[in-house]
Amino acid sequence: ICEYIIHAYALLYPKTTLYTAVRFGNVLGSRGSVIPTFNRQIDDGGPVTVTHPDMTRYFMSIAEAANLVIHAACMTQNNEIFLLQMGETVKILDIAERMIRLRGLRPYIDIPIEFTGIRPGEKMHEELRHEQESPSETAHPSVFKLNGWPSDFDPNQFLSQVTNLLKNGIAANS
């Protein structure tokens, strides 16, 4: 939704601001990262909670993410989505087990691991782009430009729908 909001403003006000979105996976150690949660759970003696044993996500460090976002911002011309090269996916369970071992403890023996189940809307494997979005290379080898905005997108209609949702909630718009 945020990318479409940026797209709408880029179409409506192309001469006032350069609008760009940068898409990437999880940032290790950031506020939304699993690392602080796992650390707290290990400090408390467990259990460490993992959604599903096969769930995977992409990860990068705060420094990597900040550096690549700045590079993408420098390349923008307007109305673009950039995708950062994230490497291979990592199992969340592997991170939990490694963090327990790094403390000199044994997963499942010293610190239990519990599986909480996939929440509504949550995906087993993170997808950073859709099939209809084609990545193209940029001047930076770890930053790609995504192509694929819908040709029939009406920015005024979209922003009106978003405003209506914010005012009235989902039930009123069903």
Side-chain angles (χ1 to χ4, degrees):
I1 291 174
C2 292
E3 289 175 1
Y4 276 99
I5 291 171
I6 288 171
H7 180 51
Y9 278 101
L11 293 175
L12 292 171
Y13 308 106
K15 294 182 176 27
T16 59
T17 303
L18 295 178
Y19 294 92
T20 296
V22 181
R23 192 184 298 171
F24 52 96
N26 298 277
V27 178
L28 290 169
S30 66
R31 190 182 339 171
S33 172
V34 297
I35 303 301
T37 301
F38 287 170
N39 274 329
R40 187 180 67 256
Q41 291 173 339
I42 295 167
D43 288 345
D44 292 345
V48 170
T49 56
V50 175
T51 308
H52 189 281
D54 296 322
M55 184 165 281
T56 62
R57 293 292 181 264
Y58 291 97
F59 290 95
M60 68 175 24
S61 71
I62 292 172
E64 282 178 296
N67 181 300
L68 292 175
V69 166
I70 290 168
H71 279 283
C74 291
M75 288 187 274
T76 191
Q77 294 179 10
N78 196 27
N79 197 21
E80 293 147 330
I81 298 176
F82 290 102
L83 172 65
L84 304 185
Q85 172 61 38
M86 295 297 301
E88 299 298 317
T89 57
V90 177
K91 279 188 174 184
I92 304 293
L93 177 59
D94 290 348
I95 292 172
E97 291 173 345
R98 287 178 190 155
M99 288 181 66
I100 293 168
R101 286 188 191 101
L102 285 171
R103 301 276 191 96
L105 302 168
R106 298 168 296 175
Y108 310 102
I109 298 168
D110 301 319
I111 300 288
I113 296 177
E114 289 182 2
F115 300 102
T116 59
I118 298 173
R119 295 173 289 227
E122 192 171 28
K123 293 185 175 187
M124 182 71 77
H125 306 290
E126 190 169 35
E127 297 172 23
L128 295 178
R129 68 179 183 87
H130 303 285
E131 284 183 23
Q132 68 269 22
E133 296 176 315
S134 56
S136 57
E137 292 182 357
T138 66
H140 195 289
S142 296
V143 179
F144 298 90
K145 182 179 171 187
L146 291 180
N147 305 305
W149 286 120
S151 59
D152 62 347
F153 181 79
D154 180 340
N156 290 310
Q157 179 185 10
F158 175 77
L159 291 173
S160 175
Q161 290 171 329
V162 169
T163 301
N164 192 30
L165 279 170
L166 291 171
K167 279 183 179 176
N168 303 312
I170 293 174
N173 295 289
S174 299

